[in-house]
Amino acid sequence: MSQDAEQETLFNSPKRLIIAVIAGFLIPITVIGLIISYVHNISLPSAGTEAMSASSVTQRIAPVAQVAIQELPASAVAEVTGKSASSPSAEGANEAAIAAAIAAIPSAASAAQKSTGHADTAQPGKVLYTQICQTCHATGLAGAPKFGSKADWAPRLKSPKSEIYQLALKGKGAMPPKGGSNASDEEVKAAVDYMLKAVK
């Protein structure tokens, strides 16, 4: 028999035909599977690295900058409201500090209303001063006379006490009526008396 005759009879038997068809499918699928496995192993980090750990990924995608809000120190408030009030940038900072203090008053006022039974009967007005008034009067914010400063209170002490009460009740300059609180007139007057007592 010649070689051509053998090739013609290679697929004549059903068994050989089935083997040839199965090999024709399995060999390419096996080769593709090996290529996929090879590519997948290339992209994996080497042993011992933490490149894909949750903390590493979080660190890589974290924002570049972060904002930290801190309370303005009393020395900085005094500097803004006192010495450098003539410069335009200081005026803007002063206005911002005033706005921040006024915005904080309602929350302090609501806290004051919620607290009950904390009144210091020995010093009437101290509670309202501590919860509301000291926001501005402790540092002299927005030109408020500082607590205990005779120099700051001297011009106001020339007026009758009834006028000082009216200023506190109706507001003056950056100070809202009753300091932004919902306190009664008597409580506001007691707070004024408490501040005046500290400078006499």
Side-chain angles (χ1 to χ4, degrees):
M1 261 179 116
S2 70
Q3 193 174 9
D4 290 333
E6 285 181 17
Q7 286 181 354
E8 289 177 10
T9 61
L10 182 63
F11 296 111
N12 287 344
S13 114
K15 184 177 180 182
R16 287 185 179 177
L17 181 63
I18 292 173
I19 292 172
V21 170
I22 292 174
F25 282 110
L26 287 180
I27 292 174
I29 290 173
T30 305
V31 170
I32 291 171
L34 291 172
I35 291 172
I36 290 172
S37 175
Y38 176 74
V39 170
H40 179 68
N41 285 335
I42 288 175
S43 64
L44 291 177
S46 60
T49 63
E50 297 291 326
M52 299 305 285
S53 70
S55 60
S56 296
V57 171
T58 304
Q59 185 178 6
R60 283 196 304 272
I61 64 172
V64 175
Q66 294 181 353
V67 177
I69 299 174
Q70 297 178 345
E71 187 174 321
L72 192 62
S75 60
V77 172
E79 183 178 328
V80 168
T81 58
K83 302 172 191 169
S84 59
S86 60
S87 69
S89 63
E91 288 176 10
N94 192 14
E95 290 172 9
I98 292 168
I102 291 174
I105 290 173
S107 62
S110 64
Q113 289 172 351
K114 290 179 184 174
S115 64
T116 55
H118 292 73
D120 185 354
T121 55
Q123 295 179 320
K126 181 178 181 180
V127 172
L128 184 62
Y129 169 80
T130 304
Q131 294 173 340
I132 305 295
C133 306
Q134 78 174 356
T135 304
C136 296
H137 287 282
T139 60
L141 185 66
K146 292 181 186 176
F147 181 80
S149 171
K150 292 183 180 184
D152 288 352
W153 283 95
R156 289 159 181 86
L157 292 175
K158 293 178 184 174
S159 302
K161 194 182 267 191
S162 61
E163 283 184 29
I164 298 172
Y165 287 151
Q166 288 306 310
L167 292 175
L169 292 171
K170 295 184 179 179
K172 178 181 179 185
M175 182 180 75
K178 296 183 179 182
S181 73
N182 292 331
S184 67
D185 290 357
E186 290 73 28
E187 290 172 319
V188 173
K189 289 178 182 178
V192 170
D193 289 339
Y194 175 74
M195 288 188 275
L196 292 175
K197 186 178 178 182
V199 293
K200 288 186 179 182

